[in-house]
Amino acid sequence: MMSLESFPFHPSFDREYIAELFDNEASYFLEIVEHFFNNIPAEMSDLNHTFVSGDKLGFAKKLHKLSSMLGCVGQVEFSKQCKKVEQSFLQTQEFVVPQEKMIAELQEILLHIQKDYEKLKSYQ
């Protein structure tokens, strides 16, 4: 079984954080990512709905929830960015990063998570 520390994660992952959080245990990490993928379609659907309907506060709150979910699977930088965008919106009612860009980046991150999940699973 491969250790999380030595796994060639995409650079968007915080490898040290993942190894520490999951005690370097790949099977535990895979379990959490599976749980993540069971929940992310509904979350993305909600995020898109808030965007299309013009519910900016709802969008910001959705980002907050997604930031926690992404942090749990090692996407620490994007998680921080989601929190920053949400905080800034709550203070100024403006998005420091356009909503469309956040959605596009999130979709890209999900692809990285999916690819590395499948790669890690094949090593098991």
Side-chain angles (χ1 to χ4, degrees), residues 38-55:
N38 288 337
N39 292 286
I40 202 66
E43 297 300 328
M44 286 300 291
S45 175
D46 288 353
L47 184 73
N48 284 319
H49 176 74
T50 60
F51 174 66
V52 171
S53 68
D55 178 4

Side-chain angles (χ1 to χ4, degrees), residues 91-104:
Q91 291 167 358
T92 66
Q93 305 302 297
E94 297 293 327
F95 286 103
V96 287
V97 178
Q99 291 169 282
E100 298 92 330
K101 189 173 187 313
M102 290 301 293
I103 293 171

